[in-house]
């Protein structure tokens, strides 16, 4: 480091090393229930790193060493809209500068899905934009989610620090870490207008659907296959932060380029027998697996064209093909029923393509061939191919 006391920088880093420089500030023992936000539920876990008091002490020590420091806070997004709690602020970023050097700490918080989350680097109106070249602080610019890493201690220039045991995995996560929060405030408004279904049947379905999604996620993760919440499961997350109890299934999307030939056998080994297989890898592939309690898992494979994406559908008794068109989208992380899962980043466009502008209104009667706003005929499978493209079990 030029024209600056290296020991000063190392001393500052020493104070942050137990958090591996970019780690968790403190662990909230209570988090907002995704259901309707009526209360808080407890989450088990142990704290990692410093608590709030120790970090405030670090903040003061850094300033006493000659650093100019800035703390960026925001309210916990899970408490959005709860008047008694929404004012509670949590630290998101610490930025300390000395001469031409800056130390940027991104604060990670543990979430209920056993993953780590950080908030975005949003500057409030009173913050001096000249304090540091904020546009060069790329890490943490948007909210992000990461697998919880196992740490190891190493020594760099005589300084003991903690880093992930698999640093490459952490680095590979960064470009794909963008996180979208569930719309808790809107979900509460939804349940004020439409009462939640808390019948025994509805609660049993939610439980079975959650277990099915957990098993599907575990199976696809072992295969290294990306997936996202699609169709009614995605709508339930976006509209009400939960599972739609009358949907009766779990819907996932997978890009066709991520298809692997052992997907079917992997699900069967996990205890989910194949219910039907429609289409083929080159065209309109769709898989359905049977979960317990008559809850099924539908996997739709998406194909990319020049200006749109689509997935296919097949009517078993006639061989008619259907195509569902979507604007192009990318994938972000979110939290859904205590899980870290992917959803389309361009969520509203994705939802409206499928359900139209009236997606906020619950629809209990749904015809997959006529109801979607983005469905269109796509020909008929030749009878000679029916044995391959229409398989029922």
């Amino acid at each position: 480091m030029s024209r600056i006391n290296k020991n000063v920088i190392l001393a500052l880093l020493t104070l942050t090393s137990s958090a591996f420089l970019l780690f968790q500030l403190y662990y909230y023992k209570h988090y907002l229930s995704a259901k309707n936000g009526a209360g808080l539920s407890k989450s088990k876990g142990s704290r990692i790193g410093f608590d709030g008091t120790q970090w405030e002490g670090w903040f003061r020590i850094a300033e006493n060493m000659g650093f100019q420091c800035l703390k960026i806070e925001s309210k916990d997004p899970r408490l959005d809209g709860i008047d008694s709690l929404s004012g509670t602020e949590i630290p998101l970023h610490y930025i300390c500068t000395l001469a031409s050097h800056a130390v940027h700490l991104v604060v990670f918080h543990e979430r209920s899905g056993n993953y780590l989350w950080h908030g975005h680097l949003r500057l409030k109106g009173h913050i001096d934009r000249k304090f540091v070249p904020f546009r060069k602080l790329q890490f943490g610019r948007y909210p992000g989610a990461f697998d919880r890493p196992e740490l190891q201690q190493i020594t760099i220039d005589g300084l003991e620090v903690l880093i992930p045991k698999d640093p490459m995995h952490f680095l590979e996560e960064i470009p794909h870490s963008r996180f979208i929060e569930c719309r808790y405030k809107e979900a509460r408004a939804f349940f004020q207008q439409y009462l939640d279904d808390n019948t025994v049947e509805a609660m049993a379905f939610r439980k079975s659907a959650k277990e099915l999604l957990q098993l599907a996620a575990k199976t696809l993760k072992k295969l290294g296959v990306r997936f996202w919440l699609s169709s009614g499961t995605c709508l339930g997350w976006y509209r009400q932060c939960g599972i739609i109890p009358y949907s009766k299934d779990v819907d996932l999307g997978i890009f066709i380029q991520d298809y692997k030939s052992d997907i079917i056998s992997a699900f069967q080994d996990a205890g989910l027998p194949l219910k039907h297989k429609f289409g083929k890898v080159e065209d309109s592939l769709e898989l359905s697996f049977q979960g317990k309690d008559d809850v099924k898992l539908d996997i739709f494979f998406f194909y990319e064209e020049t200006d749109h994406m689509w997935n296919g559908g097949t009517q078993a008794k006639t061989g008619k093909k259907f195509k569902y068109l979507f604007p192009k989208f990318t994938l972000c992380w979110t939290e859904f029923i205590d899980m870290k899962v992917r959803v389309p980043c361009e969520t509203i466009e994705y939802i409206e393509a499928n359900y139209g502008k009236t997606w906020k209104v619950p629809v209990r009667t749904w015809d997959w061939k006529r109801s979607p706003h983005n469905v269109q005929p796509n020909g008929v499978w030749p009878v000679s191919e029916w044995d391959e493209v229409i398989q029922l079990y």
Side-chain angles (χ1 to χ4, degrees), residues 36-37 47 73 81 108 135 149 186 225 252 288 388:
N36 61 13
R47 295 191 178 192
E73 297 179 313
F108 278 59
R135 292 186 180 278
E186 289 78 3
V225 174
L252 303 181
S288 183
E388 176 189 0

Side-chain angles (χ1 to χ4, degrees), residues 213-226:
L213 179 57
Q214 290 173 331
L215 182 56
K218 181 179 179 180
T219 303
L220 291 171
K221 184 176 183 178
K222 285 183 178 179
L223 292 172
V225 174
R226 294 178 299 169

Side-chain angles (χ1 to χ4, degrees), residues 221-326:
K221 184 176 183 178
K222 285 183 178 179
L223 292 172
V225 174
R226 294 178 299 169
F227 73 91
W228 65 91
L229 305 183
S230 191
S231 302
T233 306
C234 184
L235 175 62
W237 163 77
Y238 190 71
R239 186 176 68 188
Q240 56 211 65
C241 295
I243 295 171
I244 299 175
Y246 52 82
S247 60
K248 303 307 178 187
D249 57 18
V250 172
D251 302 311
L252 303 181
I254 294 177
F255 293 123
I256 194 62
Q257 61 264 32
D258 291 333
Y259 170 81
K260 291 187 177 180
S261 58
D262 52 351
I263 282 182
I264 293 176
S265 60
F267 274 101
Q268 290 175 330
D269 291 343
L272 299 176
L274 186 63
K275 185 177 178 66
H276 72 239
K277 176 179 179 289
F278 294 149
K280 50 189 175 181
V281 175
E282 307 85 60
D283 183 7
S284 304
L285 183 63
E286 175 189 341
L287 301 176
S288 183
F289 298 90
Q290 185 62 61
K292 69 176 185 179
D293 300 325
D294 211 29
V295 180
K296 66 185 178 73
L297 171 70
D298 290 329
I299 299 180
F300 306 102
F301 289 86
F302 280 64
Y303 300 77
E304 184 173 359
E305 303 290 349
T306 303
D307 59 353
H308 68 277
M309 295 182 180
W310 63 276
N311 72 280
T314 296
Q315 187 177 31
K317 63 181 180 180
T318 65
K320 289 183 179 180
K321 298 170 61 181
F322 299 86
K323 179 182 284 189
Y324 304 86
L325 305 182
F326 293 85

Side-chain angles (χ1 to χ4, degrees), residues 180 327-332 343-351:
I180 301 177
K328 287 195 171 183
F329 58 89
T330 54
L331 297 179
C332 288
V343 292
C345 300
E346 299 77 12
T347 317
I348 188 62
E349 292 84 359
Y350 190 89
I351 294 290

Side-chain angles (χ1 to χ4, degrees), residues 62-316:
E63 290 179 326
N64 291 337
M65 293 170 62
F67 284 83
Q68 289 184 306
C69 294
L70 173 67
K71 178 172 66 175
I72 297 176
E73 297 179 313
S74 183
K75 63 184 178 183
D76 189 323
R78 295 165 291 183
L79 307 180
D80 188 23
I82 299 181
D83 294 336
S84 60
L85 295 173
S86 58
T88 304
E89 294 206 332
I90 58 176
L92 300 179
H93 298 261
Y94 288 84
I95 303 172
C96 291
T97 64
L98 182 62
S100 60
H101 300 268
V103 176
H104 177 203
L105 281 87
V106 180
V107 182
F108 278 59
H109 298 261
E110 185 178 7
R111 297 287 289 256
S112 59
N114 195 32
Y115 67 95
L116 301 179
W117 166 89
H118 67 74
H120 58 178
L121 183 62
R122 174 179 290 178
L123 304 182
K124 296 183 178 180
H126 67 278
I127 294 178
D128 181 8
R129 265 57 177 176
K130 296 181 181 179
F131 179 79
V132 72
F134 289 99
R135 292 186 180 278
K136 293 184 179 181
L137 303 178
Q138 294 300 319
F139 186 74
R141 179 167 293 276
Y142 300 103
F146 291 78
D147 294 338
R148 183 173 177 170
E150 185 179 355
L151 302 181
Q152 65 177 345
Q153 184 171 292
I154 65 171
T155 302
I156 301 177
D157 290 339
L159 174 66
E160 293 184 350
V161 297
L162 294 174
I163 66 169
K165 275 193 172 181
D166 186 356
M168 284 306 300
H169 177 71
F170 181 82
L171 294 173
E172 289 168 356
E173 285 185 283
I174 294 176
H176 312 288
S177 63
R178 191 163 181 173
F179 183 91
I180 301 177
E181 198 71 57
C182 177
R183 302 162 69 249
Y184 298 107
K185 185 177 181 179
E186 289 78 3
R188 294 186 197 101
F190 174 83
F191 285 114
Q192 288 178 353
Q193 185 173 4
Y194 304 100
L195 294 179
D196 195 7
D197 186 349
N198 288 317
T199 61
V200 173
E201 293 78 12
M203 290 189 289
F205 171 74
R206 289 193 188 97
K207 180 177 182 295
S208 297
K210 178 179 179 178
E211 292 173 354
L212 180 58
L213 179 57
Q214 290 173 331
L215 182 56
K218 181 179 179 180
T219 303
L220 291 171
K221 184 176 183 178
K222 285 183 178 179
L223 292 172
V225 174
R226 294 178 299 169
F227 73 91
W228 65 91
L229 305 183
S230 191
S231 302
T233 306
C234 184
L235 175 62
W237 163 77
Y238 190 71
R239 186 176 68 188
Q240 56 211 65
C241 295
I243 295 171
I244 299 175
Y246 52 82
S247 60
K248 303 307 178 187
D249 57 18
V250 172
D251 302 311
L252 303 181
I254 294 177
F255 293 123
I256 194 62
Q257 61 264 32
D258 291 333
Y259 170 81
K260 291 187 177 180
S261 58
D262 52 351
I263 282 182
I264 293 176
S265 60
F267 274 101
Q268 290 175 330
D269 291 343
L272 299 176
L274 186 63
K275 185 177 178 66
H276 72 239
K277 176 179 179 289
F278 294 149
K280 50 189 175 181
V281 175
E282 307 85 60
D283 183 7
S284 304
L285 183 63
E286 175 189 341
L287 301 176
S288 183
F289 298 90
Q290 185 62 61
K292 69 176 185 179
D293 300 325
D294 211 29
V295 180
K296 66 185 178 73
L297 171 70
D298 290 329
I299 299 180
F300 306 102
F301 289 86
F302 280 64
Y303 300 77
E304 184 173 359
E305 303 290 349
T306 303
D307 59 353
H308 68 277
M309 295 182 180
W310 63 276
N311 72 280
T314 296
Q315 187 177 31

